C-alpha cells in the first residue's frame, strides 16, 4: 500500500507522517510505503519515508511524485486563514489550484485512491447560528480561506460521484497546541495560552473568558485522519464532507483544564482583553453536533483536562508535579 501526505512538514502533517511511519497501523491496512510531500520537509522525518520536496503547481514535480499510484492520499497542504486573507493569490494557488492539480493526477489512476481532504470549520463563516451547528448547517464562508476550502469540498464530492477518487472531506476544528511561532493562524491564541500557562507566564487573551470555540488536540486529529483513511468505502454514504467531533469550550474552561495539570495558580495569570473581530470569528461558537462522524467512529478528546494533556503531550508525572 502506498500512502501520500501533502503538507507533511506542517504541524498536523508531520505528526500524521510520524504515526504512520511507526507501522502500528498494519491491522488497518496502512503503513506499507509512505511518501511525505511538501515544499520543505524537516530533517527529523524517519529515514524509511520517501521524501518529495517541491511545488505542487510544478508539472514536473507532479509527474515524478505521481509516477506510481497511491492507495491512500491525505491532502493537508494549505495556506491558513490569516495568510490567505493577506495574500489572496497565494491562498488561491495553494488552497485551490494545487488541490485541483492533485485531484486530477489521482483521477488518472486505474484504481481510485482514498482521498482524505483536510477541510475546515472555516467554511461556515460568521455569524454562526445561535443554537447549534450540525451536518445540515449551510456553509457560508466569510473568509477567503473558508471559501477556498468549500470549493475543494465540492470538487472532492464531484470526483467521487464520477468514480475518480474515493474521496471525503473532514472539517477540522481548532487544532492545538501549535508552536508559538507566527504561522498565519488568526486563532493562534488558542494554542499560545497553553504554552504560556505551562511556562508559568502571564497571558493576555484576545477574546473573553466566556468566548466559546471548538477544540481538538493534534494527537486526536491524527487519529481521526487515519480513521478517515481506513474506513471501508461501503460505510460511507453520499455525504462526502462533514464536521468532526470537537469539544465546545469557553476560554475559561480551557484554562480550568490547564489548571488541572499546572495548578490553580495559573488561572490568575490570564487577563482578558477581547478583540471584537477575533471574538466574532473564533469565539462565538454554539454547540457542535456531528451525527455523521459519530456514526462512523470519529471521536473528540473527552474533556478539557484530557484535551490539554494530549495537546501538550503531558505525561502523568508532569501533570501531577505541576498540580502539586
Amino acid at each position: 500500500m502506498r500512502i501520500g501526505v501533502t503538507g507533511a512538514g506542517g504541524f498536523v502533517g508531520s505528526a500524521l507522517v510520524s504515526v504512520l511511519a511507526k507501522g502500528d497501523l498494519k491491522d488497518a491496512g496502512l503503513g506499507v510505503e509512505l511518501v511525505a510531500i511538501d515544499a520543505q520537509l524537516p530533517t527529523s522525518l524517519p529515514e524509511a519515508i520517501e521524501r518529495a520536496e517541491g511545488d505542487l503547481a510544478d508539472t514536473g514535480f507532479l509527474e515524478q511524485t505521481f509516477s506510481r499510484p497511491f492507495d491512500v492520499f491525505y491532502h493537508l497542504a494549505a495556506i491558513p486563514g490569516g495568510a490567505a486573507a493577506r495574500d489572496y493569490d497565494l491562498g488561491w494557488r495553494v488552497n485551490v489550484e494545487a488541490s485541483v492539480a492533485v485531484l486530477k493526477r489521482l483521477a488518472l489512476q486505474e484504481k481510485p485512491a482514498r482521498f482524505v481532504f483536510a477541510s475546515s470549520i472555516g467554511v461556515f463563516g460568521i455569524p454562526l447560528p445561535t443554537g447549534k451547528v450540525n451536518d445540515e448547517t449551510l456553509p457560508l464562508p466569510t473568509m477567503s480561506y473558508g471559501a477556498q476550502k468549500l470549493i475543494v469540498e465540492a470538487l472532492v464530492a464531484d470526483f467521487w460521484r464520477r468514480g475518480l477518487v474515493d474521496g471525503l472531506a473532514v472539517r477540522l476544528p481548532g487544532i492545538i497546541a501549535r508552536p508559538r511561532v507566527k504561522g498565519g493562524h488568526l486563532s493562534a491564541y488558542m494554542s499560545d495560552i497553553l504554552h504560556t500557562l505551562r511556562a508559568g507566564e502571564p497571558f493576555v487573551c484576545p477574546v473573553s473568558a466566556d468566548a466559546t470555540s471548538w477544540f481538538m488536540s493534534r494527537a486526536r486529529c491524527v487519529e481521526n485522519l487515519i480513521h478517515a483513511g481506513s474506513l471501508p468505502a461501503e460505510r460511507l454514504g453520499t455525504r462526502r464532507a462533514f464536521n468532526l467531533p470537537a469539544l465546545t469550550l469557553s476560554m475559561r474552561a480551557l484554562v480550568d483544564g490547564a489548571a488541572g495539570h499546572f495548578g490553580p495558580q495559573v488561572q490568575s495569570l490570564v487577563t482578558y482583553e477581547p478583540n471584537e473581530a477575533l471574538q466574532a470569528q473564533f469565539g462565538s461558537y454554539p454547540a457542535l453536533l456531528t451525527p455523521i462522524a459519530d456514526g462512523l467512529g470519529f471521536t473528540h478528546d473527552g474533556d478539557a483536562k484530557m484535551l490539554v494533556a494530549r495537546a501538550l503531550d503531558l505525561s502523568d508525572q508532569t501533570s501531577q508535579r505541576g498540580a502539586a
Side-chain angles (χ1 to χ4, degrees), residues 16-30:
L16 174 61
V17 166
S18 295
V19 173
L20 288 171
K22 290 178 181 178
D24 297 335
L25 304 164
K26 292 181 180 178
D27 290 341
L30 302 178

Side-chain angles (χ1 to χ4, degrees), residues 1 3 20 25 27-30 71-74 111-117 160 165-171 221-245 290-299:
M1 178 169 287
I3 305 170
L20 288 171
L25 304 164
D27 290 341
L30 302 178
D71 297 287
V72 181
F73 199 93
Y74 296 96
K111 178 184 176 183
R114 166 60 55 82
F115 181 77
V116 179
F117 174 58
W160 166 75
V165 298
D166 181 13
L168 68 156
V170 290
R171 294 170 181 158
C221 179
V222 166
E223 291 168 359
N224 281 324
L225 287 171
I226 291 170
H227 185 60
S230 61
L231 274 170
E234 58 269 19
R235 288 194 60 194
L236 296 168
T238 58
R239 286 286 297 273
R240 290 289 167 141
F242 49 83
N243 311 314
L244 288 185
T290 56
I292 293 177
D294 295 343
L296 291 170
F298 294 93
T299 56

Side-chain angles (χ1 to χ4, degrees), residues 269-322:
L269 296 175
V270 182
T271 55
Y272 299 91
E273 297 181 5
N275 174 292
E276 185 176 347
L278 282 180
Q279 178 100 4
Q281 187 70 52
F282 301 107
S284 302
Y285 288 18
L288 178 65
L289 304 180
T290 56
I292 293 177
D294 295 343
L296 291 170
F298 294 93
T299 56
H300 57 57
D301 285 282
D303 57 35
K305 185 176 179 180
M306 182 61 71
L307 169 72
V308 173
R310 294 172 65 87
L312 294 177
D313 194 22
L314 300 176
S315 66
D316 291 338
Q317 184 178 4
T318 301
S319 302
Q320 291 169 2
R321 183 169 63 248

Side-chain angles (χ1 to χ4, degrees), residues 93-299:
R93 184 170 68 86
V94 174
N95 295 344
V96 179
E97 291 182 352
S99 300
V100 173
V102 168
L103 281 167
K104 285 184 174 180
R105 288 286 170 172
L106 291 172
L108 297 176
Q109 295 186 180
E110 183 177 348
K111 178 184 176 183
R114 166 60 55 82
F115 181 77
V116 179
F117 174 58
S119 189
S120 168
I121 58 173
V123 300
F124 290 116
I126 58 172
L128 288 165
T130 55
K132 64 183 179 182
V133 166
N134 60 25
D135 293 319
E136 305 308 317
T137 302
L138 181 65
L140 295 170
T142 50
M143 293 182 66
S144 296
Y145 173 74
Q148 291 156 6
K149 289 289 189 180
L150 187 58
I151 289 169
V152 179
E153 281 190 9
L155 288 173
V156 170
D158 194 43
F159 273 59
W160 166 75
R161 180 186 60 81
R162 296 172 61 199
L164 302 176
V165 298
D166 181 13
L168 68 156
V170 290
R171 294 170 181 158
L172 305 185
I175 307 300
I176 60 173
R178 297 179 181 274
R180 284 192 286 184
V181 295
K182 293 183 178 180
H185 289 271
L186 295 174
S187 58
Y189 68 90
M190 298 179 184
S191 296
D192 291 347
I193 191 171
L194 297 184
H195 292 300
T196 304
L197 295 182
R198 184 182 195 178
E201 301 168 354
F203 184 80
V204 179
C205 185
V207 296
S208 71
D210 294 325
T212 52
S213 303
W214 300 328
F215 294 93
M216 181 184 292
S217 71
R218 178 172 68 166
R220 180 63 73 193
C221 179
V222 166
E223 291 168 359
N224 281 324
L225 287 171
I226 291 170
H227 185 60
S230 61
L231 274 170
E234 58 269 19
R235 288 194 60 194
L236 296 168
T238 58
R239 286 286 297 273
R240 290 289 167 141
F242 49 83
N243 311 314
L244 288 185
L247 290 177
T248 304
L249 298 174
S250 68
M251 292 306 295
R252 180 183 291 107
L254 183 65
V255 172
D256 289 345
H261 297 282
F262 310 127
Q265 72 280 356
V266 301
Q267 294 167 322
S268 64
L269 296 175
V270 182
T271 55
Y272 299 91
E273 297 181 5
N275 174 292
E276 185 176 347
L278 282 180
Q279 178 100 4
Q281 187 70 52
F282 301 107
S284 302
Y285 288 18
L288 178 65
L289 304 180
T290 56
I292 293 177
D294 295 343
L296 291 170
F298 294 93
T299 56

